[in-house]
Amino acid sequence: MKNLKLIVAVLLIAVFPFGCMVGPKYVKPEQPKPESFLYGDHTTDTTASVRMIKWSTLFNDPVLIGLIEKGIQNNFDLQIAISRLEQAKANLGVAKADLYPAFQYSGQVNTAETFMQPNSAFANMSWELDFWGKYRHQSKAFQAELLASDEARKVVLSDVISNIAISYFELRDFDNQLEITIHTLETRQKAYDIINERFKSGYVAELDKVQIEQQVAIAEANIPAIKRQITALENSISILIGKVPGPIERGKTNSELLIMTTFPTSVPSALLENRPDVKAAEFLYQSANERIGVAQAMRYPSFNIAALAGFTSVMVGDLFDSGSYLQNAGAGVTGPIFNFGKNKRRVDVNRQIAIERKLTFQRAYLTAISEVENSLQNVAMYKEEWAARNRQVIAAQTNYDLSNARYYNGYVSYLEVLDAQRSLFEAQLSLSQLTQKQLSSMIQLYKALGGGWF
């Protein structure tokens, strides 16, 4: 009965203080809240979320969608992020376990009766009471880190999808540039054959022959350079989708690809609900804030209870007799007296870490707004630039056709033809690059707005 009362008293001590917690409570930092994006569409519904637009609906190319799906399954960076997420889950489980009692068993058998340690078989329980909230703060810290790890996984996922898409657009751009260059080479080679025959017949000067010969060589030299870029991009995409570097399947050309051109641009403060990098930064700040409480709790005494029940006997044969039964329960307290300010400095360190994480979060928020503004501007400007370049290509083609006809009718020198052809070639390449940049800018805007990658 006496032991029972002691156990009841210890349990009451264990339950009573669980309302005590030291350490700061988390308060979300105040952020600047612009009413709208400077370059956004102010007529769109700001309550709509780009998160509701699934990434697979952005593209009308099954080949590109297939490449992205392979990347989601096989990308090494994404698998590493998932592994880190599992580590965070395990750490949270360890932290939660510290809130509860630990149970152990032990046993010992000796053949010599005179041995100093008797035969025994015991079960025991030990429990450090979370009087000051040390383990609760620690559990909350790991919970926040788990959420941050999940958001970090989403960041990697969005990077993988957007990088595959943009690399694919660049690959199709170089495919188009190669096609333009080969066509230009064929045109220049035909012109060279004609002018060379006319030179042999004495109808044109050697200068015309040398000039066109130079342009043929320039076009020939561009082809290997473009092929090197194609190989490098194919290998880069192969790594992104987790396969051995090699050729990449092609689908639609950039000019055939269609991407959604308008996204809901909600108010900047709503980025906190969409951008995984911003959310991850906030969760890490929450974790650091909880660890201040852990450090502060370590400055106070810790309370422990223990209980033991089992059998002990000098003779092995008498080990489980009723007279060998033993039980005990107790409570203890330990705490620091003087350690030259170590515990106080630990609190200071964790407080400064929290300040650093808070500043990182605030910077991430402003960076997110900046990236959206840049992406909105890029989408608008690339659209205008593409329209102008397209008019340039049409005009350059007409100029080349007219110059070519004037040359063969003897009105101008071949130098004018070469200049018109060079302008056409450069305009076609610029238009091809702009088509790629226009597509890429839409993906970058979708990513900046925290689109539905998940």
Side-chain angles (χ1 to χ4, degrees):
M1 180 64 69
K2 183 178 180 180
N3 289 337
L4 180 60
K5 290 181 179 178
L6 179 60
I7 292 173
V8 171
V10 169
L11 290 176
L12 287 174
I13 294 173
V15 173
F16 174 72
F18 260 70
C20 302
M21 281 188 74
V22 297
K25 292 184 178 180
Y26 175 73
V27 178
K28 191 170 185 175
E30 286 292 329
Q31 300 284 16
K33 296 181 178 180
E35 294 183 359
S36 62
F37 290 105
L38 181 62
Y39 298 105
D41 183 359
H42 303 292
T43 64
T44 56
D45 180 8
T46 58
T47 62
S49 173
V50 71
R51 195 181 183 89
M52 303 304 296
I53 303 174
K54 182 69 176 172
W55 68 264
S56 56
T57 63
L58 297 179
F59 314 108
N60 65 330
D61 187 350
V63 172
L64 175 55
I65 292 174
L67 290 173
I68 292 174
E69 289 174 343
K70 288 180 182 177
I72 294 174
Q73 294 173 0
N74 305 322
N75 182 265
F76 289 105
D77 290 333
L78 187 54
Q79 291 181 43
I80 290 171
I82 293 173
S83 176
R84 288 173 179 164
L85 178 61
E86 294 302 319
Q87 292 175 38
K89 288 180 181 178
N91 285 331
L92 177 59
V94 172
K96 285 184 175 180
D98 288 333
L99 289 166
Y100 303 101
F103 297 88
Q104 301 91 23
Y105 64 87
S106 64
Q108 181 172 296
V109 176
N110 303 305
T111 57
E113 296 180 10
T114 59
F115 195 73
M116 294 180 62
Q117 297 291 335
N119 302 287
S120 62
F122 284 110
N124 59 78
M125 181 272 289
S126 61
W127 190 8
E128 180 181 345
L129 307 182
D130 194 25
F131 194 96
W132 310 108
K134 177 174 68 175
Y135 293 123
R136 280 170 285 169
H137 278 302
Q138 184 168 276
S139 180
K140 289 181 179 180
F142 279 116
Q143 176 72 38
E145 288 174 5
L146 171 61
L147 295 172
S149 296
D150 189 42
E151 295 301 326
R153 176 193 63 81
K154 294 175 183 178
V155 171
V156 175
L157 177 61
S158 66
D159 286 342
V160 168
I161 296 174
S162 59
N163 288 343
I164 291 174
I166 291 173
S167 296
Y168 183 80
F169 299 152
E170 292 174 349
L171 178 63
R172 298 304 281 139
D173 171 39
F174 280 112
D175 288 340
N176 191 48
Q177 289 188 43
L178 181 61
E179 184 178 336
I180 292 170
T181 304
I182 290 174
H183 176 72
T184 300
L185 174 61
E186 291 173 350
T187 301
R188 290 178 180 180
Q189 186 63 54
K190 290 178 182 178
Y192 170 78
D193 293 339
I194 295 172
I195 291 174
N196 189 44
E197 289 299 321
R198 297 185 69 184
F199 167 72
K200 291 178 180 178
S201 302
Y203 290 109
V204 297
E206 185 178 5
L207 178 61
D208 288 355
K209 171 181 171 294
V210 173
Q211 287 175 334
I212 186 59
E213 187 175 10
Q214 179 184 3
Q215 295 305 309
V216 170
I218 290 173
E220 286 178 338
N222 283 339
I223 290 175
I226 295 174
K227 287 182 176 180
R228 287 198 303 270
Q229 296 285 349
I230 288 174
T231 299
L233 277 168
E234 286 182 322
N235 292 340
S236 176
I237 294 174
S238 296
I239 298 299
L240 286 171
I241 64 176
K243 81 178 199 66
V244 176
I248 295 297
E249 183 182 2
R250 301 318 199 257
K252 296 184 177 181
T253 65
N254 283 348
S255 58
E256 295 171 332
L257 278 165
L258 297 175
I259 291 186
M260 188 179 301
T261 56
T262 57
F263 299 124
T265 52
S266 54
V267 294
S269 58
L271 278 176
L272 290 174
E273 301 174 4
N274 292 336
R275 287 278 297 237
D277 55 337
V278 177
K279 293 170 68 176
E282 183 179 4
F283 285 133
L284 289 176
Y285 171 45
Q286 289 182 19
S287 173
N289 192 72
E290 296 295 338
R291 293 195 184 280
I292 297 174
V294 175
Q296 288 182 339
M298 293 175 70
R299 300 184 65 186
Y300 297 96
S302 60
F303 299 92
N304 301 272
I305 62 173
L308 177 145
F311 300 87
T312 180
S313 173
V314 175
M315 300 291 295
V316 176
D318 299 335
L319 180 60
F320 294 104
D321 289 348
S322 59
S324 300
Y325 178 73
L326 176 67
Q327 68 178 26
N328 184 47
V333 58
T334 59
I337 297 177
F338 185 71
N339 56 9
F340 300 93
K342 177 180 178 180
N343 289 335
K344 182 178 184 300
R345 296 292 178 265
R346 186 187 293 116
V347 175
D348 293 339
V349 168
N350 282 277
R351 185 172 284 115
Q352 291 304 315
I353 291 174
I355 291 173
E356 177 188 343
R357 295 281 175 82
K358 177 182 178 180
L359 295 172
T360 300
F361 164 57
Q362 292 175 322
R363 181 183 63 186
Y365 178 79
L366 293 179
T367 300
I369 296 176
S370 174
E371 289 179 357
V372 173
E373 292 285 16
N374 291 339
S375 297
L376 287 168
Q377 176 76 333
N378 287 341
V379 168
M381 295 301 101
Y382 280 135
K383 184 177 181 180
E384 292 182 13
E385 188 176 354
W386 189 93
R389 290 292 184 187
N390 188 52
R391 293 195 302 271
Q392 180 186 0
V393 169
I394 295 172
Q397 181 67 59
T398 303
N399 182 40
Y400 170 70
D401 293 340
L402 292 175
S403 297
N404 207 41
R406 283 161 59 84
Y407 170 75
Y408 284 108
N409 284 290
Y411 293 111
V412 296
S413 68
Y414 198 70
L415 185 61
E416 181 179 311
V417 178
L418 291 177
D419 185 61
Q421 189 183 62
R422 183 166 51 249
S423 296
L424 174 60
F425 180 53
E426 292 173 353
Q428 289 173 328
L429 293 181
S430 294
L431 184 63
S432 178
Q433 293 171 358
L434 272 175
T435 303
Q436 173 264 313
K437 289 179 179 179
Q438 196 172 24
L439 293 170
S440 298
S441 69
M442 293 305 303
I443 297 300
Q444 290 164 346
L445 174 59
Y446 179 74
K447 177 183 176 183
L449 290 169
W453 305 106
F454 326 114

